[in-house]
């Protein structure tokens, strides 16, 4: 573990040898600079970082714990080392910040383990697909044969086998899609699409006929064409629509809305179901997360749907969030940029007051 101590008031830096090794340079005699862009610290996707956003400086400026947050350290030979940084202020007897202790940890091995785990999930999922396909074909034939012989009870058993096979296929597809998106092996296939028409088609295709009349589409005003990977966005919509129906009881209405905002469109799916506690709302976009209630009930799910939706929306340069209160229903929304991909690079970091609005109420962003 690398440890660095920075004194407040422009004092020098003290570092242990591991910290110098992680940073790829000696720190003796160095002092902490507080402004400008840090030349050796990059975000995990290789973008520059302002000095005040690096935990050691942030903790000094705010007097609060900063991190843990992952960065890439640019070494003099051009290589990049993934490092997890945390920083905590140290207070003097008067309560004034005397300095900051920062720790840095090499997370290369952890990344390698994550990669192996994903590879393993992906291999197993692939191998499960073929026998399932065979089961599905054979059960279809068996069902026909049973129907011809008027064996109704036996035929209904094959129906339940087919439902289970379909459910397993969905889980395998989710596991595979999650690992494909995480590894960024696949890029989006984006093309400009009419969003209102797209939403109509998706609702036609993906909402089960028995709950169709609960769904209403509202598109106030015209929308510009949106650059999207339609197959992937359909997965997001199908998930939000099926969750709204699955988790909200009875015949209560579900409203799908698409609205133009400055430089983005926002699509939302609003239900009048049980809603989410703030703790659950903060975690619904995490991998494998299911609320205790849905884990205990018989609603099926792996807790991957919203996680995959988040990866897809973020890959489009958008954001996904939920506004909800227990007993008051939930509104899941996502934004998509109106500009074509690559048209306007995002600024380094938007000041808080210019960040895209997440709507009113207790919004929890992924
Ligand atoms: P799954 O539905 O497969 O469990 P998701 O990732 O789609 O996984 O959803 C994660 C969890 O979020 C669900 O298990 C459920 O507890 C909660 N959730 C999702 N949508 C809603 C909703 N519309 N209303 C209430 N809870 C929801």
């Amino acid at each position: 573990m690398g440890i660095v101590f920075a004194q407040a008031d422009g004092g020098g830096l003290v570092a242990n040898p591991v910290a110098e090794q992680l940073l790829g340079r000696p720190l003796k005699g160095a002092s902490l600079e507080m402004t400008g862009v840090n030349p050796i610290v990059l975000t995990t996707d290789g973008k520059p970082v302002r000095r005040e956003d690096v935990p050691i400086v942030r903790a000094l400026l705010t007097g609060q714990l900063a991190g843990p947050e992952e960065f890439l350290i640019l070494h003099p030979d051009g290589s990049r080392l993934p490092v997890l940084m945390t920083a905590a202020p140290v207070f003097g007897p008067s309560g004034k910040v005397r300095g900051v202790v920062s720790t840095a940890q090499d997370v290369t091995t952890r990344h390698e383990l994550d990669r192996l785990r994903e590879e393993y999930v992906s291999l197993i999922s692939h191998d499960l697909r073929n026998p399932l396909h065979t089961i599905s074909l054979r059960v279809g034939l068996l069902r026909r044969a049973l129907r011809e012989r008027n064996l109704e009870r036996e035929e209904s058993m094959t129906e339940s086998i087919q439902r289970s096979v379909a459910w397993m296929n969905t889980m395998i597809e989710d596991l595979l899609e999650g690992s494909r998106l995480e590894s960024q092996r696949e890029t989006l296939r984006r093309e400009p699409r009419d969003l209102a028409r797209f939403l109509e088609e998706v609702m036609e295709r993906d909402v089960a006929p028995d709950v169709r009349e609960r769904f209403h589409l509202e598109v106030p005003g015209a929308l510009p064409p949106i650059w999207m990977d339609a197959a992937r966005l359909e997965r997001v919509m199908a998930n939000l629509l099926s969750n709204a129906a699955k988790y909200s009881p009875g015949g209560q209405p579900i409203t799908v809305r698409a609205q133009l905002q400055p430089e983005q469109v926002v699509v939302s799916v609003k239900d009048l179901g049980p809603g989410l506690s703030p703790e659950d709302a903060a975690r619904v976009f995490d991998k494998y997360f299911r609320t205790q209630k849905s884990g205990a009930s018989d609603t099926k799910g792996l807790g991957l749907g919203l996680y995959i939706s988040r990866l897809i929306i973020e890959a489009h340069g958008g954001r996904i969030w939920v506004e909800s209160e227990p007993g008051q229903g939930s509104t899941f929304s996502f934004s998509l940029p109106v500009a074509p991909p690559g048209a306007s690079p995002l600024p380094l970091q938007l000041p808080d007051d210019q960040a895209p609005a997440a709507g009113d109420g207790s919004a929890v962003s992924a």
Side-chain angles (χ1 to χ4, degrees), residues 239 243 246-247 271 284 289-291 294 301-303 305-306 332:
N239 183 48
N243 276 353
K246 187 161 79 169
Y247 296 110
D271 67 58
V284 278
F289 179 79
R290 305 197 74 208
T291 60
S294 39
L302 270 188
L306 289 175
F332 284 85

Side-chain angles (χ1 to χ4, degrees), residues 38-254:
N38 192 311
I40 67 161
V41 180
L42 306 172
T43 60
T44 48
D45 47 6
K47 301 212 175 77
V49 173
R50 294 188 306 206
R51 284 199 166 92
E52 59 261 44
D53 292 328
V54 178
I56 192 164
V57 179
R58 203 159 73 224
L60 204 53
L61 291 172
T62 61
Q64 288 179 358
L65 188 73
E69 196 176 341
E70 197 179 316
F71 295 94
L72 292 174
I73 303 294
L74 188 61
H75 279 207
D77 64 0
S79 61
R80 295 165 175 208
L81 187 74
V83 163
L84 192 69
M85 293 189 196
T86 308
V90 178
F91 298 98
S94 63
K96 225 177 120 214
V97 178
R98 291 270 301 271
V100 167
V101 179
S102 180
T103 60
Q105 200 183 345
D106 179 354
V107 284
T108 314
T109 318
R110 205 170 80 185
H111 281 196
E112 179 63 9
L113 283 174
D114 280 349
R115 199 186 58 75
L116 285 174
R117 189 172 47 85
E118 288 313 326
E119 216 172 273
Y120 183 66
V121 167
S122 156
L123 274 175
I124 293 191
S125 314
H126 260 121
D127 290 352
L128 284 174
R129 262 205 310 204
N130 293 339
L132 263 189
H133 186 61
T134 313
I135 295 174
S136 175
L137 282 178
R138 295 279 188 266
V139 171
L141 293 175
L142 185 61
R143 191 170 167 191
R144 228 175 38 215
L146 292 170
R147 191 178 310 147
E148 279 162 11
R149 288 172 179 73
N150 291 323
L151 294 167
E152 271 174 37
R153 211 168 69 88
E154 286 78 0
E155 191 197 336
S156 79
M157 285 184 200
T158 58
E159 263 171 50
S160 106
I161 297 177
Q162 273 179 324
R163 272 198 303 274
S164 298
V165 168
W167 168 229
M168 273 189 88
N169 263 326
T170 310
M171 287 196 287
I172 289 171
E173 270 309 312
D174 278 356
L175 285 168
L176 278 173
E177 177 73 347
S179 83
R180 271 195 298 259
L181 288 162
E182 277 169 354
S183 67
Q184 291 164 355
R185 257 177 288 134
E186 275 198 9
T187 45
L188 296 181
R189 294 183 194 93
R190 294 171 83 165
E191 53 182 11
R193 290 286 291 260
D194 177 335
L195 183 62
R197 170 106 47 90
F198 167 80
L199 292 174
E200 270 167 29
E201 288 167 4
V202 165
M203 286 172 70
E204 204 54 51
R205 268 198 300 269
D206 296 309
V207 175
D210 55 330
V211 288
R212 183 65 187 83
E213 85 249 13
R214 295 178 62 190
F215 285 81
H216 306 278
L217 177 62
E218 288 178 5
V219 184
L223 299 174
I226 299 297
W227 282 80
M228 61 165 95
D229 180 328
R232 289 229 153 82
L233 269 195
E234 178 156 0
R235 186 180 262 275
V236 175
M237 280 310 297
N239 183 48
L240 296 182
L241 298 174
S242 76
N243 276 353
K246 187 161 79 169
Y247 296 110
S248 74
Q252 285 167 319
I254 295 162

